[in-house]
Amino acid sequence: MRRMLELEHGFRVVDVHARLEPDEGRRQREGLGDPERLEREMHQAGVVRSVVFPSARQGSYLKANNAVARMSVGRPFVAVARVNGARDPADTPAAKLRNLRVRRQDHHTSPADIEQYAYDDRFVGFKLHPARDGLPDQEVLRALETVGLPAIVHGGRGFPPAAVEATLLSYDFPVVLAHFGGYPLDRTLTERSIDLLDRSSQLYLDTSFVRFRDPLERAIMEHPDRVLFGSGTPNVHPNVAVMEVLTLDVPEDAMRKVFSNNPGRVFDALAPAGDG
C-alpha cells in the first residue's frame, strides 16, 4: 500500500480527537486503530501529540480506558477516560419518562470512577458519547464539575447542540464539542454550535469530521480562541485533517491557535512543555 507523503508545514500541531482500539480482534480492519499506525500517521502529518480514547463497546469502559492509558506510555499520546451513563439523551417525551425511572448500574460510570480517573495522572480528561453510551446522571456530572477536567463530547444528530446546552453547559468544566456538534455532516447543527459559543464561555469546538469550509472559517474568525484541531483518526488520516485547516482562508496566527495554542490551554498536557 502506498504511504501518504509527509506534510511539510511550519506549525506545531496537536490533535484532540484520536481513537484507539486496544483489542486487536475488535479493529475494523488490520492496523486500523492500533498505536503503531497512529504514531506513524501522526509523524507523517506533523502532529506532535494526540488525545486518545477507546472505541465504543458494551458494558464498562474501565478495562478499555486502562488499556488505552497503557498503550500511551512512551508514545506521543495522552489518554482521556471514556464514560457512560444510564440516561437517554434524546429530547423526547418517551426519553424523559424513561429517565425518571432509570438508575445507574454497575457497568455505568460512577462519581467515584470520575474521581479515580481525575487523580490518575495517566488521564487528562474525559470522553462522552451520549447517543452511543448514554448520558451520565447528575451526580456524575457534578463529579465532573468538581474535578474540573475537560470533556470531549460527541455532538451531532444523536446529541444536538440544544441538548449539550441543556444538560452539560450549566456545569463548570470545559466542554470540547466534537465535530462542531454536527456529526454526520449536518451543516445546520454545525452553525448552531458556533452560535452557542456566544452563550457559553466553557464551550470549545473540535474540527474532526467538519468537511464544510465556511463554518470552519466563520468559527475561527469569530472565536479564534475556541476552536481546537481534531483529526478524527483512524477514520480520517491526520494528513487530510491537517490539510483541511491549512487550506482555510484565515490568518496564520489563527491557524497557530487552532493547531496548538488553544488545545494547550484546554489540556495542559498538550502545551509545548509536554512534547519532550
Side-chain angles (χ1 to χ4, degrees):
M1 183 175 66
R2 181 181 299 173
R3 293 181 59 186
M4 296 191 73
L5 295 176
E6 293 184 11
L7 290 184
E8 294 184 3
H9 54 75
F11 294 99
R12 173 186 181 271
V13 181
V14 293
D15 181 359
V16 303
H17 199 109
R19 178 171 48 83
L20 290 178
E21 175 47 67
D23 182 353
E24 292 185 21
R26 293 173 55 90
R27 292 173 187 161
Q28 297 172 355
R29 62 178 184 270
E30 184 179 357
L32 196 62
D34 74 78
E36 290 79 13
R37 177 167 175 170
L38 174 57
E39 189 169 6
R40 181 174 65 252
E41 292 183 348
M42 283 173 55
H43 177 76
Q44 292 171 355
V47 177
V48 299
R49 215 157 168 79
S50 290
V51 173
V52 294
F53 51 83
S55 56
R57 63 231 309 117
Q58 296 295 325
S60 171
Y61 278 102
L62 179 61
K63 290 183 178 179
N65 287 333
N66 285 330
V68 166
R70 288 194 300 271
M71 293 164 71
S72 300
V73 175
R75 294 188 172 97
F77 307 154
V78 290
V80 293
R82 187 161 178 163
V83 303
N84 60 12
R87 291 195 293 167
D88 188 332
D91 187 20
T92 64
K96 292 177 180 178
L97 183 61
R98 283 194 297 272
N99 287 341
L100 292 175
R101 303 190 303 267
V102 72
R103 294 293 181 269
R104 188 189 327 126
Q105 303 299 313
D106 289 344
H107 64 277
H108 292 131
T109 305
S110 70
D113 294 330
I114 296 296
E115 184 174 353
Q116 182 176 351
Y117 287 131
Y119 297 108
D120 182 336
D121 60 9
R122 300 177 304 165
F123 298 100
V124 301
F126 301 94
K127 161 70 176 179
L128 284 72
H129 190 335
R132 170 61 181 79
D133 298 327
L135 183 67
D137 58 41
Q138 292 181 358
E139 288 184 323
V140 173
L141 294 178
R142 283 195 292 267
L144 287 171
E145 182 176 52
T146 298
V147 301
L149 294 178
I152 302 167
V153 179
H154 182 105
R157 294 173 189 169
F159 193 56
V164 176
E165 184 175 24
T167 59
L168 298 180
L169 295 183
S170 60
Y171 295 90
D172 187 17
F173 58 85
V175 172
V176 180
L177 185 54
H179 326 307
F180 269 41
Y183 187 85
L185 292 177
D186 191 316
R187 186 160 185 163
T188 298
L189 294 184
T190 296
E191 297 287 356
R192 289 176 182 169
S193 297
I194 300 172
D195 293 339
L196 193 53
L197 291 172
D198 289 321
R199 303 196 296 274
S200 177
S201 61
Q202 74 262 32
L203 179 66
Y204 301 83
L205 305 179
D206 95 33
T207 64
S208 58
F209 299 114
V210 183
R211 303 281 90 99
F212 300 112
R213 176 179 296 189
D214 289 348
L216 281 168
E217 292 180 348
R218 177 199 161 194
I220 293 170
M221 295 302 291
E222 293 181 6
H223 302 276
D225 298 323
R226 310 279 288 284
V227 179
L228 285 62
F229 173 73
S231 70
T233 186
N235 288 336
V236 175
H237 193 291
N239 267 6
V240 176
V242 169
M243 282 300 302
E244 286 184 330
V245 176
L246 289 175
T247 52
L248 295 177
D249 186 16
V250 299
E252 183 175 309
D253 183 61
M255 285 189 188
R256 186 170 291 106
K257 289 183 177 182
V258 172
F259 280 138
S260 178
N261 297 358
N262 296 343
R265 285 191 299 108
V266 178
F267 296 92
D268 291 341
L270 298 182
D275 293 343

